[in-house]
Amino acid sequence: METRVTKLLGIEKPIIQGGMAWVAESHLAAAVSEAGGFGLIGAANAPAEVVRNYIREAKELTDRPFGVNIMLLSPFADEIAQVVVEEGVAAVTTGAGNPEKYMARWKEADIKVIPVVASVALAKRMERCGADAVVAEGTESGGHIGQATTMTLVPQVVDAVSIPVIAAGGIADGRGFAAAMMLGAEAVQMGTRFCVSDECVIHENYKECILKAKDIDSEVTGRSHGHPVRGLRNRMTREYLKLEAEGASFEDLEKLTLGGLKKAVVDGDTDHGSVLAGQIAGMVTKRQSCKEIVDEIMEQAERLLKLK
Ligand code: TUI
């Protein structure tokens, strides 16, 4: 399936893997790119040299293009913005902020720039600054989220900009893919489904939580301090939401989530850690390789879209 996004990124299939913090490392990114999609390394809060090593590792694992997601709240964002130039990555996506100050440098280095946006206003601004595409990410997503749903955000962003739009949030199969295309998207970005892929190196307990999750098992913590984050309900989110409802301070709430993602992803402590996942976790029920995931979604979507 060819779209402006497949041409932009030099890929066969318009499926991008989300640059998930602590989850999206070199093996996952390389496996998705090898499957014909576009893999991303999630820089999250990692130091620049750790990200550089991930990039070099991914280069060893695949000759296909892959990218890096830069989480703009990271204290290392400035350094990582330079590392991607030095390492010549194919594309950069950004999250949780406005990447404007880096755009000229990335464009000069011929890096494709694809900011993740949660509003029409930021999408338009990114287009004006020279973005090659945007990911319109709905509130169904896991992790740090905006307010609009994928169903409402994607067509409004599509109408507002001329650059290609990639839909994210609540997409995990061929039906979601086809629906996103109907809304005007030219690719999808998925996170939660790739978390349970064979190549994803996260702790088994984390994968089990996603596989067992039902439709309404995610919660949003942090709304009161302006950084809403979606993850699966557990002991930590229950405690967090209780304290948040009682008006606890940002500092007290932070104590509950500090290091929480590492706790869940690396140590497998899914009671006290942050098990970030999207609302679609309820539909993610099987373990497969990245190739099986990508092929199954494309097959189903092409049938639905009557391209086959
Ligand atoms: O960034 C994400 N998802 C993430 S980042 C992350 S690590 C983290 N953990 C706790 C708190 C904060 C970050 C886990 N998941 N997705 C992309 C995304 N970007 N979603 C929403 C946004 C966004 C929101 C507001 C982008 C820009 C924005 O406003 C920027 C501006 O200046 O107008």
Side-chain angles (χ1 to χ4, degrees):
M1 191 186 290
E2 201 176 78
T3 70
R4 284 189 293 168
V5 174
T6 59
K7 282 187 258 179
L8 177 72
L9 297 175
I11 55 177
E12 288 163 32
K13 295 160 187 164
I15 297 181
I16 297 168
Q17 162 245 318
M20 300 163 285
W22 281 97
V23 175
E25 49 67 76
S26 47
H27 294 87
L28 182 61
V32 174
S33 289
E34 279 292 298
F38 195 75
L40 286 174
I41 289 165
N45 276 316
E49 289 314 305
V50 172
V51 178
R52 192 193 299 277
N53 284 337
Y54 279 151
I55 296 169
R56 291 186 176 171
E57 245 172 52
K59 284 181 188 164
E60 294 287 316
L61 295 166
T62 184
D63 291 328
R64 300 199 181 189
F66 63 88
V68 173
N69 172 268
I70 303 182
M71 205 280 283
L72 296 168
L73 295 171
S74 163
F76 306 109
D78 284 350
E79 288 167 61
I80 295 163
Q82 184 55 28
V83 165
V84 294
V85 172
E86 288 162 12
E87 294 297 323
V89 302
V92 167
T93 68
T94 60
N98 178 343
E100 231 166 284
K101 65 174 176 176
Y102 307 120
M103 299 258 287
R105 199 189 328 165
W106 290 337
K107 300 299 300 173
E108 204 172 303
D110 204 24
I111 295 175
K112 306 294 184 238
V113 182
I114 311 180
V116 178
V117 303
S119 69
V120 165
L122 190 61
K124 285 166 82 165
R125 192 165 176 141
M126 294 298 95
E127 178 175 50
R128 275 202 303 276
C129 303
D132 295 282
V134 287
V135 176
E137 188 186 274
T139 196
E140 297 92 323
S141 305
H144 178 57
I145 50 169
Q147 290 182 355
T149 59
T150 303
M151 181 74 111
T152 58
L153 182 66
V154 172
Q156 293 187 80
V157 171
V158 166
D159 285 348
V161 299
S162 308
I163 51 177
V165 176
I166 297 153
I171 301 166
D173 70 359
R175 294 171 299 179
F177 180 106
M181 295 292 141
M182 291 291 111
L183 297 176
E186 296 185 56
V188 300
Q189 177 178 283
M190 303 192 312
T192 305
R193 184 148 180 201
F194 284 122
C195 284
V196 300
S197 66
D198 300 334
E199 295 89 344
C200 181
V201 297
I202 62 176
H203 199 284
E204 276 303 307
N205 295 354
Y206 199 118
K207 292 189 181 183
E208 280 299 317
C209 284
I210 292 176
L211 293 165
K212 285 191 184 135
K214 304 265 190 311
D215 53 351
I216 53 172
D217 282 350
S218 80
E219 296 279 17
V220 179
T221 55
R223 285 204 198 273
S224 61
H225 58 80
H227 285 303
V229 170
R230 184 183 300 286
L232 297 179
R233 186 182 303 109
N234 62 5
R235 194 184 296 217
M236 185 280 289
T237 64
R238 282 196 186 92
E239 177 70 6
Y240 191 109
L241 291 170
K242 184 168 156 278
L243 289 176
E244 205 171 19
E246 289 165 7
S249 68
F250 173 69
E251 288 71 30
D252 282 344
L253 292 169
E254 274 279 283
K255 281 183 207 145
L256 272 178
T257 51
L258 209 65
L261 194 51
K262 175 171 182 280
K263 227 184 268 178
V265 168
V266 181
D267 308 337
D269 183 353
T270 52
D271 289 330
H272 304 96
S274 300
V275 187
L276 303 188
Q279 286 187 326
I280 206 67
M283 209 179 70
V284 174
T285 54
K286 59 185 178 192
R287 296 164 187 270
Q288 289 167 301
S289 68
C290 289
K291 182 166 168 31
E292 285 166 342
I293 292 172
V294 168
D295 286 349
E296 187 180 288
I297 291 173
M298 290 310 300
E299 176 81 18
Q300 190 184 12
E302 282 172 348
R303 235 181 313 113
L304 289 169
L305 295 166
K306 303 266 189 287
L307 297 173
K308 260 191 173 168

